[in-house]
Amino acid sequence: MRKVSAALAAESAELQQLVLDVLGPAQRGALAFSLLRAGENPAQTPDLAIFIGNAPNFWERCRPALLRLARRGGRIVCICRAAPDWLGGVANGEILPLPEAQDARAMDLFRKSLLIRVKSVAAHRDDPAGPVPTRRPSGRLVGIGSSTGGPQVLLSILNDLPPDTCGILIVQHLSTGFSSRFSDYLDELCAMRVKQAENGEVVEDGTVYLAEDGRHLTVVRQPDGYRLRSLPGEKVNGFCPSADRLFESLAAQAGGSAMGIVLTGLGNDGAEGLLHLRQAGGQGLAQSESSCAAPSMPREAARLGGAEEQLTPAALAERIRRFAFASPHAPFRQT
């Protein structure tokens, strides 16, 4: 039987030694243990990852690796005195309070709590009836179109979404050759999986699909779910991929099960398609002009009537959460 794999990232050598002392030689000997620097990604996903620190910049450096581990199904224990707000929403994560060293009673409780969690990981891993994470076809879809200034806004929105949010399809106007690098960049920083869209794949919860440059991204409803179409085509509004094409396909294939959002950008791409989506029963939103690097795309979406409201990136993330997890949170159903 293989050992339970564990990784430890500590803000300081003192805090690292605290965890090692709590575990003790016997427990450390039962683990395949590795020590990480803050922000370092382990070569393989461990059964258990322990993060310990207090400084806000420590947690910000650890955030990409921590979210990536959570998405891959690893158990995470975060030890701190004041947890950042985003830490409470990490899947498979648990926060343990870090006691003062001189508080012997609290330190004893901390030691017992950490040991219980380490042992429970071993028991869960060896339990054949334990839950196996699965992906499911998305019953709701969110489409986003953005251009100038969009990458930072997209990162801000996606960072606020939990890993089991419904499938998200993105058209971001980028220079040729940058779409795969941008999807890899977002994937490192977000709780959801982010990838470049591939023709024919089923849209799944927990995944963000970025349109490839030079290919329009659309969807087709089929018996097993919404399938992506990523195909070359003529430019629309001067762009391929085009947000209008994405929104028009959501209107035709998903209707009231879809939400469309137009973010910062020059021109009017997405405005007509968002109107069609709203007319088909879907929801249409746009970024507030005051928060845009280039406000003309969301302004045109509002002027044509496709955008019901214009909101800040934080408010847009909240609306996506409400839409994705509206009761009932139904998976894809055949019709």
Side-chain angles (χ1 to χ4, degrees):
M1 182 183 300
R2 72 171 177 86
K3 292 182 177 181
V4 172
S5 60
L8 169 63
E11 180 184 351
S12 65
E14 180 184 5
L15 290 176
Q16 175 180 292
Q17 192 58 49
L18 170 64
V19 173
L20 296 177
D21 289 344
V22 166
L23 294 177
Q27 193 62 55
R28 292 203 306 271
L31 301 172
F33 216 93
S34 61
L35 302 177
L36 304 176
R37 298 184 302 273
E40 180 182 0
N41 281 309
Q44 296 181 331
T45 302
D47 299 309
L48 172 67
I50 301 171
F51 295 81
I52 180 169
N54 288 310
N57 64 354
F58 167 78
W59 291 105
E60 281 306 310
R61 293 201 311 275
C62 289
R63 183 173 182 172
L66 196 153
L67 292 175
R68 192 176 184 85
L69 288 171
R71 194 175 67 232
R72 291 177 175 177
R75 178 78 175 273
I76 298 171
V77 175
C78 299
I79 305 167
C80 55
R81 293 198 176 99
D85 292 340
W86 59 266
L87 205 54
V90 172
N92 309 319
E94 197 169 1
I95 300 172
L96 284 183
L98 177 63
E100 298 290 345
Q102 63 270 24
D103 190 337
R105 183 176 179 182
M107 186 60 70
D108 183 57
L109 178 60
F110 166 71
R111 178 180 179 278
K112 291 177 180 177
S113 298
L114 183 55
L115 287 174
I116 287 171
R117 282 151 181 82
V118 172
K119 292 175 181 178
S120 72
V121 170
H124 175 74
R125 192 208 65 198
D126 294 332
D127 179 7
V132 177
T134 58
R135 298 188 183 278
R136 65 177 186 179
S138 290
R140 295 186 173 97
L141 304 178
V142 174
I144 300 177
S146 63
S147 189
T148 307
Q152 283 303 113
V153 179
L154 286 169
L155 176 59
S156 172
I157 291 173
L158 295 177
N159 258 339
D160 281 345
L161 301 179
D164 53 346
T165 302
C166 67
I168 297 177
L169 286 59
I170 296 176
V171 167
Q172 166 66 49
H173 301 155
L174 294 167
S175 300
T176 302
F178 277 88
S179 59
S180 62
R181 278 180 276 180
F182 184 47
S183 63
D184 290 344
Y185 167 74
L186 291 175
D187 188 55
E188 290 286 340
L189 299 174
C190 302
M192 297 181 73
R193 180 176 63 146
V194 184
K195 66 185 300 294
Q196 187 168 268
E198 297 179 50
N199 188 52
E201 65 183 320
V202 175
V203 181
E204 296 177 333
D205 288 348
T207 306
V208 178
Y209 303 88
L210 183 69
E212 183 177 354
D213 51 79
R215 290 175 173 264
H216 288 299
L217 178 61
T218 59
V219 296
V220 176
R221 184 184 177 101
Q222 295 190 345
D224 58 346
Y226 294 104
R227 287 192 174 270
L228 297 180
R229 290 291 179 264
S230 177
L231 300 170
E234 297 296 321
K235 290 183 178 181
V236 177
N237 300 320
F239 297 103
C240 180
S242 163
D244 267 331
R245 287 289 301 274
L246 171 61
F247 294 149
E248 286 165 0
S249 75
L250 291 175
Q253 301 295 321
S257 296
M259 167 187 279
I261 300 173
V262 173
L263 299 181
T264 176
L266 297 170
N268 62 355
D269 190 30
E272 289 190 10
L274 193 66
L275 177 60
H276 294 162
L277 176 57
R278 190 175 176 193
Q279 290 171 337
Q283 297 185 32
L285 300 170
Q287 186 178 347
S288 60
E289 294 181 28
S290 61
S291 65
C292 289
S296 58
M297 274 176 51
R299 180 187 298 141
E300 283 300 298
R303 186 184 67 80
L304 284 185
E308 306 167 59
E309 296 179 75
Q310 290 185 259
L311 304 169
T312 64
L316 289 170
E318 170 60 24
R319 292 293 288 272
I320 292 173
R321 291 194 298 270
R322 284 165 51 187
F323 172 77
F325 299 103
S327 182
H329 180 39
F332 178 84
R333 297 184 186 278
Q334 296 186 31
T335 55

